[in-house]
C-alpha cells in the first residue's frame, strides 16, 4: 500500500485522487496539533510583502469587505480587521479558530472568526468580497486538484475587479537544496549544515531529485517546516501565473522578504523560498 505521506511530484494534471485527498487531510490534521496552534497564536509581525500591501490598501480598506483565509492564530487579524469595512477570518482547523477567538475576545461586530474550508466556502454568497487574503502559504497545504478548486471558489465569492493576495512556495527556491554539489561553502560549518539539510530532504522525499525538480512545474515536498510533518506544494512562478489565468488578471509578484515587486524577467530566475502574488478578479 502506498504511504499517504510519500512525496509526490507532478508534471501533468493527473494526480492520484486518493493520495491527493490524503495530502489535504494529513495537513489539516497537522494544523490542529496543539503545539502548532500555539506557534501560530503567538505570531504578531506582518511579513514585508504583507506590509507593502497593507500600506497600499490602507486608505481603501474601510470600503472593502475582506476575507482572510487560513487565518491561523490571527497574526494578520490584528493588522487588517480594524481597517476593513467587514472582516471575516476562516480556517479549516477548529483549534486555530478557537485560539484566534481567545486572542480577540472583544472583536467588533464587523469581525467574524469562523471554521471554514477554502475548498467550498459554501457559507458565502457569490461576488461578496472585495479583498481576499490567503497569507503565509496557506494555499500550499492542499493537493493540486484542491488548489484548482480553491482558486475557482475564491473567484466565485469575489467581486469582479476585487483583489486576491496570497503567497506560495517557489519551486526554484528549493530545487538546488536537493543537489549535494550546490551545498559546498567556504565555511565548513555552513557546508555541514547544508549537507545535513539535503540528506534529510532526500530521506523524506525519496521520489524527488534535483533533476526532476529542475523540470517540474510543481511538486509536493516534505520540507523542514514543522519538523518535516507537512506536505507542501511548490510551484514555479511562471506556472503559478498560468494557473491563475482562468480566474484572475494583472498579477503582480512580490519578494516576501523585501516586499519588492519582481520584473517579468526575474520570474524565471528568482530563488526566494516563497513569493506573494497580488491579482485582480476577472
Ligand atoms: C502556515 S499557516 C498560516 C496561518 C496564518 N495565516 C499566519 O499567517 O500566521 C496556514 C493556515 O492555513 C490553514 N489552511 C490550510 N488549508 C486551508 C483550507 N483549505 N481552508 C482553510 N484553512 C486552511 C491552516 O489550517 C493554517 O492555519
Amino acid at each position: 500500500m502506498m504511504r499517504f505521506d510519500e512525496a509526490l511530484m507532478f508534471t501533468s494534471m493527473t494526480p492520484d485522487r486518493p493520495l491527493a485527498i490524503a495530502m489535504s487531510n494529513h495537513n489539516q490534521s497537522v494544523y490542529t496539533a496543539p503545539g502548532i496552534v500555539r506557534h501560530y497564536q503567538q505570531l504578531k509581525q506582518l511579513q514585508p510583502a504583507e506590509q507593502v500591501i497593507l500600506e497600499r490598501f490602507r486608505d481603501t480598506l474601510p470600503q472593502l469587505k475582506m476575507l482572510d483565509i487560513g487565518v491561523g492564530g490571527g497574526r494578520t487579524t490584528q493588522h487588517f480587521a480594524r481597517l476593513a469595512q467587514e472582516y471575516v477570518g476562516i480556517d479549516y482547523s477548529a483549534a486555530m479558530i478557537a485560539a484566534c477567538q481567545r486572542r480577540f475576545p472583544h472583536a467588533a461586530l464587523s469581525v467574524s472568526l469562523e471554521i471554514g474550508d477554502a475548498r467550498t466556502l459554501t457559507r458565502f454568497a457569490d461576488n461578496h468580497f472585495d479583498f481576499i487574503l490567503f497569507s503565509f502559504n496557506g494555499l500550499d497545504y492542499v493537493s493540486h486538484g484542491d488548489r484548482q478548486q480553491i482558486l475557482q471558489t475564491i473567484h466565485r465569492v469575489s467581486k469582479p475587479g476585487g483583489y486576491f493576495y496570497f503567497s506560495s512556495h517557489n519551486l526554484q527556491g528549493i530545487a538546488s537544496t536537493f543537489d549535494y554539489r550546490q551545498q559546498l561553502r567556504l565555511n565548513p560549518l555552513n557546508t555541514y549544515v547544508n549537507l545535513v539539510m539535503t540528506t534529510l530532504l532526500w530521506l523524506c522525499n525519496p521520489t524527488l531529485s534535483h533533476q526532476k525538480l529542475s523540470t517540474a512545474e510543481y511538486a509536493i515536498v516534505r520540507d523542514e517546516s514543522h519538523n518535516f510533518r507537512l506536505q507542501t506544494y511548490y510551484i514555479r512562478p511562471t506556472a503559478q501565473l498560468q494557473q491563475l489565468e482562468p480566474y484572475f488578471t494583472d498579477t503582480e509578484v512580490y519578494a516576501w522578504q523585501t516586499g519588492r515587486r519582481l520584473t517579468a524577467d526575474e520570474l524565471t530566475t528568482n530563488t526566494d523560498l516563497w513569493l506573494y502574488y497580488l491579482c485582480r478578479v476577472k
Side-chain angles (χ1 to χ4, degrees):
M1 202 176 83
M2 211 167 327
R3 282 189 8 230
F4 69 80
D5 62 347
E6 185 175 341
L8 300 172
M9 195 266 305
F10 301 120
T11 51
S12 73
M13 299 277 284
T14 55
D16 180 303
R17 188 62 193 150
L19 214 57
I21 293 170
M23 172 191 170
S24 300
N25 291 349
H26 168 75
N27 286 336
Q28 185 171 5
S29 75
V30 172
Y31 279 123
T32 62
I36 290 188
V37 174
R38 273 197 301 278
H39 168 76
Y40 286 101
Q41 197 181 7
Q42 46 83 35
L43 297 183
K44 292 191 174 74
Q45 302 292 323
L46 285 183
Q47 295 172 10
E50 295 167 334
Q51 191 65 48
V52 164
I53 283 327
L54 178 66
E55 294 314 322
R56 177 156 159 187
F57 284 90
R58 185 179 287 281
D59 293 340
T60 44
L61 272 167
Q63 287 96 52
L64 303 186
K65 294 187 170 73
M66 174 172 176
L67 176 64
D68 194 342
I69 305 179
V71 65
R75 181 180 64 85
T76 49
T77 307
Q78 56 181 350
H79 299 278
F80 286 92
R82 63 196 165 85
L83 295 173
Q85 179 195 99
E86 175 188 308
Y87 175 92
V88 182
I90 64 160
D91 203 291
Y92 67 1
S93 160
M96 288 285 190
I97 289 297
C100 209
Q101 287 168 339
R102 281 196 301 276
R103 185 171 177 180
F104 303 101
H106 306 299
L109 283 179
S110 57
V111 173
S112 167
L113 300 165
E114 331 173 350
I115 299 167
D117 192 323
R119 287 170 287 186
T120 51
L121 299 178
T122 41
R123 195 181 91 56
F124 304 111
D126 294 359
N127 306 330
H128 182 76
F129 292 104
D130 304 282
F131 182 75
I132 296 188
L133 178 67
F134 205 162
S135 68
F136 211 169
N137 313 314
L139 181 61
D140 292 343
Y141 299 103
V142 294
S143 66
H144 182 72
D146 285 349
R147 186 178 180 98
Q148 316 293 318
Q149 191 178 332
I150 288 175
L151 295 178
Q152 191 178 5
T153 307
I154 287 174
H155 178 262
R156 178 183 71 73
V157 301
S158 296
K159 288 182 189 156
Y163 291 90
F164 176 39
Y165 194 53
F166 70 100
S167 65
S168 183
H169 284 88
N170 180 1
L171 187 58
Q172 290 158 193
I174 195 159
S176 65
T177 320
F178 277 77
D179 183 0
Y180 278 113
R181 290 165 305 182
Q182 295 190 47
Q183 308 315 317
L184 307 179
R185 299 288 180 276
L186 285 177
N187 182 333
L189 188 61
N190 290 346
T191 301
Y192 173 76
V193 170
N194 289 354
L195 288 175
V196 167
M197 180 55 68
T198 295
T199 304
L200 289 172
L201 278 171
W202 273 45
L203 290 172
C204 290
N205 301 277
T207 62
L208 297 185
S209 66
H210 177 245
Q211 194 191 7
K212 279 183 181 175
L213 294 176
S214 301
T215 53
E217 288 187 351
Y218 69 92
I220 310 297
V221 182
R222 278 180 61 188
D223 64 16
E224 79 276 17
S225 62
H226 299 306
N227 297 325
F228 296 91
R229 287 168 74 181
L230 289 163
Q231 297 176 29
T232 303
Y233 188 101
Y234 281 73
I235 186 166
R236 216 166 273 291
T238 49
Q240 181 59 77
L241 295 192
Q242 279 175 20
Q243 195 176 71
L244 292 167
E245 211 276 327
Y247 310 109
F248 305 97
T249 186
D250 297 337
T251 302
E252 300 171 11
V253 187
Y254 293 86
W256 79 272
Q257 280 175 307
T258 60
R260 186 178 69 80
R261 186 174 168 191
L262 302 188
T263 64
D265 287 346
E266 285 175 306
L267 296 185
T268 51
T269 53
N270 179 278
T271 55
D272 289 3
L273 202 50
W274 70 84
L275 296 169
Y276 271 83
Y277 298 83
L278 177 68
C279 38
R280 292 207 87 162
V281 179
K282 279 187 177 171

